[in-house]
Amino acid sequence: MKISFTGIRNASYIYDSDKQKGIKASYLNAQLKDDKYGNDLTEYKKLISKHSAFQNPYYSNFINIASINHKGTNVTVLNGIIIPEHNNFLQLFEFIAKLTKKISEMPEKDIIHDAGYLKNDYSDLGLLLNRRVSTSLQPYDKDWKEKIHNPASIKKCAGKIFKGIEAEMFEYFA
C-alpha cells in the first residue's frame, strides 16, 4: 500500500488542440486531501463555499482545472466554468496557481493513483467533465487510461496550467 503525503491523489491530465481554430487546452483533474504538508482540501472547500457555482459536479473533493489558450488569449476554467477575470475571483486564481505549481514540482513517486479510482467510471468521465476521455480520443488509443494518469505528464500539464494562469493574470493586471 502506498501512502500519499501530498494532499493530492488520483490525478489525470490531457492536452487538446485544434490548430484550425487556434485553440490549445490543458486539463487537470485531481482528488484533494489534507495532510501534514498542507490543507489543500480544506482550503478548496472554503473557496468553493464562497463560490458555489464552481463546485465539481461529481465529487466535492475533486478539482478539475483547464487552461485554454485561444489565439493568444488565456482563460482558466474551474470545474467546467470559466473563472471571470475580476477581483472577486482572485482567490480562486491564487489557489489554482499554488496547487498547479505544487503538483508541477512534486516528485513523480508522490503522484498516487488508487486501484479503486482507476476502475471507477469517474476516471473516464471526470477529466473532461462533459464527455468521456475513452470516446473523445481520435484516433482511439487502447492505452488511454495509462497515458492520462502518467505522473511525468501530470507534472508537465500542471506546469502549463500554472504558466497559463500567470499569463492571464499578467494581462489582467497590465
Side-chain angles (χ1 to χ4, degrees), residues 43-55:
E43 289 178 42
Y44 172 64
K45 284 191 172 192
K46 187 176 178 182
L47 282 172
I48 292 301
S49 72
K50 294 176 187 175
H51 304 283
S52 60
F54 292 95
Q55 179 65 52

Side-chain angles (χ1 to χ4, degrees), residues 2-172:
K2 292 183 178 181
I3 299 174
S4 171
F5 294 107
T6 62
I8 300 158
R9 57 191 312 116
N10 297 320
S12 57
Y13 86 99
I14 198 164
Y15 298 113
D16 194 14
S17 67
D18 186 328
K19 290 181 182 178
Q20 288 182 319
K21 293 181 181 177
I23 299 173
K24 297 177 192 174
S26 300
Y27 297 89
L28 178 70
N29 193 57
Q31 182 180 17
L32 303 178
K33 294 187 174 256
D34 291 338
D35 61 26
K36 67 180 185 176
Y37 295 105
N39 294 317
D40 297 321
L41 180 59
T42 299
E43 289 178 42
Y44 172 64
K45 284 191 172 192
K46 187 176 178 182
L47 282 172
I48 292 301
S49 72
K50 294 176 187 175
H51 304 283
S52 60
F54 292 95
Q55 179 65 52
N56 186 296
Y58 299 105
Y59 293 107
S60 64
N61 61 341
F62 272 83
I63 187 169
N64 184 286
I65 307 163
S67 179
I68 301 171
N69 182 297
H70 181 250
K71 296 181 180 180
T73 301
N74 292 297
V75 295
T76 301
V77 180
L78 176 59
N79 294 322
I81 300 171
I82 294 173
I83 304 173
E85 292 176 0
H86 188 277
N87 288 345
N88 293 342
F89 301 100
L90 288 179
Q91 287 181 321
L92 291 174
F93 285 106
E94 289 171 359
F95 178 79
I96 293 169
K98 182 178 103 176
L99 183 68
T100 54
K101 185 171 194 242
K102 180 179 184 177
I103 293 170
S104 73
E105 295 173 348
M106 287 173 59
E108 288 179 30
K109 67 178 180 56
D110 288 342
I111 298 177
I112 307 299
H113 295 94
D114 299 319
Y117 163 77
L118 293 172
K119 293 176 185 174
N120 188 316
D121 194 43
Y122 184 72
S123 69
D124 186 13
L125 188 61
L127 184 56
L128 297 175
L129 291 181
N130 61 348
R131 62 190 205 269
R132 295 183 176 281
V133 173
S134 60
T135 57
S136 295
L137 297 175
Q138 296 302 323
Y140 179 77
D141 185 342
K142 66 181 174 75
D143 297 323
W144 68 268
K145 201 170 267 197
E146 291 80 23
K147 289 181 180 178
I148 70 170
H149 294 100
N150 176 285
S153 298
I154 290 166
K155 289 173 46 110
K156 186 176 179 181
C157 179
K160 284 185 177 202
I161 292 173
F162 175 74
K163 288 178 182 172
I165 290 171
E166 276 187 325
E168 188 175 355
M169 289 295 93
F170 181 75
E171 291 174 25
Y172 174 73

